[in-house]
Amino acid sequence: MEKAADLQDTDSLTLKFKFNPKLGIDNPVLSLADDHDPYDPWSLERPRFCLLSKEEGKSFGFHLQQELGRAGHMVCRVDPGTSAQRQGLQEGDRILAVNNDVVEHEDYAVVVRRIRASSPRVLLTVLARHAHDVARAQLGEDAHLCPTLGPGVRPRLCHIVKDEGGFGFSVTHGNQGPFWLVLSTGGAAERAGVPPGARLLEVNGVSVEKFTHNQLTRKLWQSGQQVTLLVAGPEVEEQCRQLGLPLAAPLAEGWALPTKPRCLHLEKGPQGFGFLLREEKGLDGRPGQFLWEVDPGLPAKKAGMQAGDRLVAVAGESVEGLGHEETVSRIQAQGSCVSLTVVDPEADRFFSMVRLSPLLFLENTEAPASPQGSSSASLVETEDPSLEDTSVPSVPLGSRQCFLYPGPGGSYGFRLSCVASGPRLFISQVTPGGSAARAGLQVGDVILEVNGYPVGGRNDLERLQQLPEAEPPLCLKLAARSLRGLEAWIPPGAAEDWALASDLL
């Protein structure tokens, strides 16, 4: 869809958009306008869509950073030769949405969590820095800049099991894709949720958009008695066409899937949680965290944990790529009530085949309605360490130095706040199990020096923006201060949070 400015010169026809509440999108209508309408977001530069794929053992290839003193999430570096670079992600791009979720005003940590939870594929909606600044200046901070699919209008991931009538569909015949499906009334495909007139996008996680008809036939025959199709109905295809959205797998809803991730809610009992966490190689040959020795009668077993389950998230946050010690720390930091997301070996094989994260399909997983129907597990029956002990005096104590190295995701695991009065910089958040937590940083610690430079001058923000590029370790000189002491000199709303280091994604 062309921008209005590209259609004709000024004083002429302008392409505008009108919101359709049924579809949840802006439908194009033509209207006469004398000049550029500053309140029409689509008369400005349109967002771009970048579908990234994570290669085995690698990242998506970009670094994300929250801007200092303002809302928004900025791509601060794109690594050459990576998926991010190939898909056109650029330094300075603002992330507007992750998959179909608008995140521009979300907390930075939430955005990082959404991207990591989508691995190995993620769809990012981005806007170039200059275009974002112009749009915000003209339309205001609350204006909707990001097109999204309407509720229930999404591609579908459908698992079909053959019956006496086969898979229950035929394929429009052509030498090469795209392909559309013709359904048999009451057949297996229709029962699995394939919509009439659906376009076929993937078979068992493999794109068939460039397949020949013979290649597609062979791929379906090799599937045996069951096959998983990614399809888009006509309404989805039309919406994506209007919005410029790709028909991407990370947007998919699950229909009749053979297996799902499971959410286990555990409450620690007198004998602990009753399971053992062990690191070993998974189906893809990479290290993962697996649950074993699930004791009968203890909370883990009562919650539905099975020996051999793989742990994919703690408290909804992906643990992919984390080492054993950091994963244990994250569980311990939850205290006596823990929420774990797990997949059994069958589910692990399925989501690995379709190349989608099981965490994208949690909405299809029913959680227990009450603690009695759930459980929580601790790895060992020892006292949980306190990772956020803020019971320190309300005045700065003697200073101390901490040396930090970035964790597996490239983050140091803490956030800062900046105020105009009192000590200028202090620690406002510490990620449990992260580098900062292991080094002993606590919420409320005041920053005195960063890499040998005193803090408290007018160049603090400029220096902090350069820290993500600095060679580790990061050396901080700190003085402790309690939360009660912080409240005494921080006016309500005066603090501005940002992530100190960029996150590698």
Side-chain angles (χ1 to χ4, degrees), residues 50-56 58-62 81-87 118-124 202 205 249-250 355-356 505:
C50 300
L51 179 59
L52 310 185
S53 298
K54 183 181 289 187
E55 299 174 12
E56 185 173 341
K58 297 183 179 180
S59 68
F60 289 121
F62 72 97
T82 62
S83 177
Q85 186 193 48
R86 291 193 297 271
Q87 294 301 314
S118 184
S119 177
R121 291 190 280 179
V122 66
L123 179 67
L124 301 180
E202 293 184 3
R355 297 188 301 124
L356 291 171
L505 296 164

Side-chain angles (χ1 to χ4, degrees), residues 27 33 72 83-84 158 165 170 216 248-249 269 330 358 403 433 441 456 485:
N27 289 337
S83 177
C158 302
S170 58
L216 176 59
R330 293 197 178 189
F403 293 88
L441 267 68

Side-chain angles (χ1 to χ4, degrees), residues 192-254:
V194 177
R199 179 172 170 175
L200 180 60
L201 305 173
E202 293 184 3
V203 175
N204 294 336
V206 177
S207 173
V208 298
E209 292 287 276
K210 297 182 179 180
F211 272 30
T212 65
H213 189 269
N214 287 338
Q215 288 174 322
L216 176 59
T217 301
R218 188 180 309 114
K219 182 71 174 176
L220 291 170
W221 179 80
Q222 291 172 345
S223 298
Q225 297 300 306
Q226 51 189 1
V227 66
T228 303
L229 306 181
L230 179 68
V231 298
E235 187 178 8
V236 178
E237 193 173 359
E238 176 61 17
Q239 279 205 27
C240 286
R241 186 192 66 78
Q242 290 184 8
L243 298 173
L245 266 166
L247 292 166
L251 299 175
E253 297 175 312

Side-chain angles (χ1 to χ4, degrees), residues 176-378:
Q176 193 169 343
F179 302 103
W180 283 267
L181 303 182
V182 179
L183 305 184
S184 303
T185 303
E190 187 177 79
R191 296 195 305 273
V194 177
R199 179 172 170 175
L200 180 60
L201 305 173
E202 293 184 3
V203 175
N204 294 336
V206 177
S207 173
V208 298
E209 292 287 276
K210 297 182 179 180
F211 272 30
T212 65
H213 189 269
N214 287 338
Q215 288 174 322
L216 176 59
T217 301
R218 188 180 309 114
K219 182 71 174 176
L220 291 170
W221 179 80
Q222 291 172 345
S223 298
Q225 297 300 306
Q226 51 189 1
V227 66
T228 303
L229 306 181
L230 179 68
V231 298
E235 187 178 8
V236 178
E237 193 173 359
E238 176 61 17
Q239 279 205 27
C240 286
R241 186 192 66 78
Q242 290 184 8
L243 298 173
L245 266 166
L247 292 166
L251 299 175
E253 297 175 312
W255 285 68
L257 300 185
T259 184
K260 300 174 183 177
R262 307 189 327 271
C263 289
L264 310 180
H265 304 278
L266 304 94
E267 288 188 8
K268 190 173 185 179
Q271 296 178 288
F273 293 118
F275 72 95
L276 177 70
L277 184 71
R278 192 163 65 208
E279 182 174 287
E280 54 188 55
K281 287 187 177 181
L283 298 172
D284 55 4
R286 289 183 291 173
Q289 308 303 319
F290 291 83
L291 308 170
W292 297 101
E293 298 184 21
V294 183
D295 296 330
L298 293 186
K301 186 67 174 180
K302 291 179 180 179
M305 186 181 293
Q306 302 171 10
D309 283 343
R310 184 171 70 87
L311 180 64
V312 295
V314 176
E317 185 167 356
S318 173
V319 295
E320 180 192 14
L322 296 186
H324 183 71
E325 291 184 1
E326 187 166 359
T327 305
V328 171
S329 296
R330 293 197 178 189
I331 296 175
Q332 291 175 330
Q334 300 302 306
S336 60
C337 294
V338 177
S339 176
L340 306 178
T341 305
V342 302
V343 290
D344 59 28
E346 179 185 0
D348 214 0
R349 282 190 291 270
F350 174 78
F351 289 108
S352 177
M353 175 189 71
V354 298
R355 297 188 301 124
L356 291 171
S357 168
L359 296 177
L360 295 178
F361 301 91
L362 281 177
E363 60 187 8
N364 298 323
T365 304
E366 293 184 4
S370 64
Q372 286 78 8
S374 58
S375 87
S376 59
S378 130

